[in-house]
């Protein structure tokens, strides 16, 4: 899952970015409103964290332009405690949620998870797939009822594949969901995560097929014995 942080305070942006990367998200950081506007128009993001007071173009303008382009990417606004009016205006303009500064990182991440769930799984935090169960709130997986140990990146790949079961997913798509501008993840790494996931899931009958030249396909659960 790829997140754009739009924040002109480098300390705050760095803190958020580190925390989210540790949690397995791919993170890009835009320092100004016009940069954010440019990236949002060109790149795929799963969520944007948007400060309102920004150089060159303020956050509400970034949001207004985003929604005008018809982009539905969830937006979480970062706002100062006393800026209630801005907050209301942000929600009116199509923001999905807001977090008040100074922010608690754990709360921020919980809200991010809630928003991405809303977008991807119709609000249900648990995704079942044959013998596999993913709890996207707890970020915990179970296989045949047993807890499944998944490092952050493997978790992210699986979380990306699951709602797309039965469809071919390109390696580039997976890569995009895993990395921001400054991350050096290669296609080889994607292949490695897939092969580790396979080692864990195949014995239980969950198959990730390689579709030559195109990518991967997580077989639908009902196609399994
Ligand atoms: Ca600011």
């Amino acid at each position: 899952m790829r997140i754009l942080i739009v924040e002109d305070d480098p300390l705050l942006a760095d803190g958020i970015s580190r925390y989210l990367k540790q949690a397995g998200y791919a993170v890009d950081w835009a320092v100004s409103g016009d940069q954010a506007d440019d990236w949002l128009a060109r790149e795929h993001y799963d969520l944007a964290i948007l400060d309102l007071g920004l150089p060159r173009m303020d956050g509400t303008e970034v949001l207004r332009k985003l929604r005008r382009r018809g982009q539905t990417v969830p937006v979480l606004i970062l706002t100062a405690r006393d800026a209630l009016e801005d907050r209301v205006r942000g929600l009116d303009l199509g923001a999905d949620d807001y977090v008040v500064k100074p922010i608690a990182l754990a709360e921020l991440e919980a809200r991010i998870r809630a928003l991405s769930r809303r977008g991807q799984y119709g609000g249900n935090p648990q995704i079942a797939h044959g013998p596999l169960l993913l709890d996207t709130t707890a970020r915990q997986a179970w296989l045949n009822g047993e807890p499944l140990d998944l490092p952050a990146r493997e978790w992210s790949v699986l979380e990306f594949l699951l709602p797309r079961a039965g469809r071919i997913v390109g390696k580039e798509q997976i890569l995009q969901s895993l990395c921001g501008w400054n991350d050096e993840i290669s296609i080889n790494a994607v292949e490695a995560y897939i092969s580790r996931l396979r080692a864990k899931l195949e014995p239980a009958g969950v198959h990730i097929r390689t579709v030559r030249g195109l990518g991967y396909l997580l077989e639908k659960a009902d196609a399994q014995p």
Side-chain angles (χ1 to χ4, degrees):
M1 191 172 146
R2 191 176 178 193
I3 295 178
L4 178 65
I5 300 174
V6 190
E7 171 61 65
D8 60 331
D9 175 347
L11 266 179
L12 180 56
D14 189 57
I16 296 173
S17 167
R18 277 168 199 269
Y19 189 88
L20 294 180
K21 281 182 183 170
Q22 205 117 56
Y25 296 99
V27 180
D28 285 331
W29 169 34
V31 294
S32 66
D34 58 347
Q35 187 174 47
D37 182 53
D38 182 38
W39 290 0
L40 283 164
R42 286 192 292 122
E43 295 285 318
H44 170 81
Y45 289 101
D46 299 291
L47 187 137
I49 299 172
L50 184 65
D51 181 26
L52 292 179
L54 290 166
R56 290 197 289 281
M57 185 190 294
D58 77 14
T60 51
E61 182 62 13
V62 173
L63 181 58
R64 206 173 53 81
K65 292 184 74 173
L66 179 77
R67 295 303 185 225
R68 264 202 191 162
R69 287 192 296 268
Q71 293 181 276
T72 55
V73 48
V75 172
L76 199 158
I77 284 181
L78 292 183
T79 179
R81 189 171 292 278
D82 53 2
L84 179 67
E85 220 167 283
D86 287 349
R87 197 186 306 168
V88 171
R89 198 152 55 102
L91 292 172
D92 281 347
L93 281 170
D96 299 274
D97 200 1
Y98 61 87
V99 168
V100 172
K101 293 179 185 181
I103 57 161
L105 290 170
E107 187 201 341
L108 179 70
E109 201 211 341
R111 285 175 184 254
I112 287 170
R113 274 187 267 142
L115 279 184
S116 65
R117 242 186 350 254
R118 211 182 291 166
Q120 284 185 57
Y121 319 116
N124 190 349
Q126 296 203 333
I127 323 169
H129 182 88
L132 187 64
L133 182 71
L134 251 68
D135 185 327
T136 56
T137 305
R139 278 176 91 83
Q140 171 66 51
W142 289 269
L143 192 60
N144 287 320
E146 297 288 322
L148 182 65
D149 180 34
L150 290 178
R153 284 266 162 77
E154 287 172 44
W155 167 275
S156 298
V157 172
L158 189 58
E159 195 185 27
F160 188 76
L161 288 177
L162 227 49
R164 296 167 178 82
R167 280 191 273 156
I168 296 169
V169 177
K171 289 180 190 177
E172 280 291 341
Q173 259 181 292
I174 299 175
L175 187 66
Q176 270 242 346
S177 77
L178 288 177
C179 63
W181 296 113
N182 301 319
D183 298 324
E184 306 235 335
I185 306 178
S186 63
I187 287 285
N188 291 348
V190 172
E191 288 166 2
Y193 298 135
I194 292 282
S195 94
R196 278 180 229 153
L197 280 172
R198 274 185 180 140
K200 292 173 185 176
L201 301 177
E202 295 262 327
V206 177
H207 299 289
I208 303 172
R209 265 176 28 211
T210 299
V211 184
R212 199 167 291 276
L214 293 174
Y216 298 104
L217 187 151
L218 173 65
E219 287 184 357
K220 281 191 170 172
D222 57 10
Q224 285 154 20

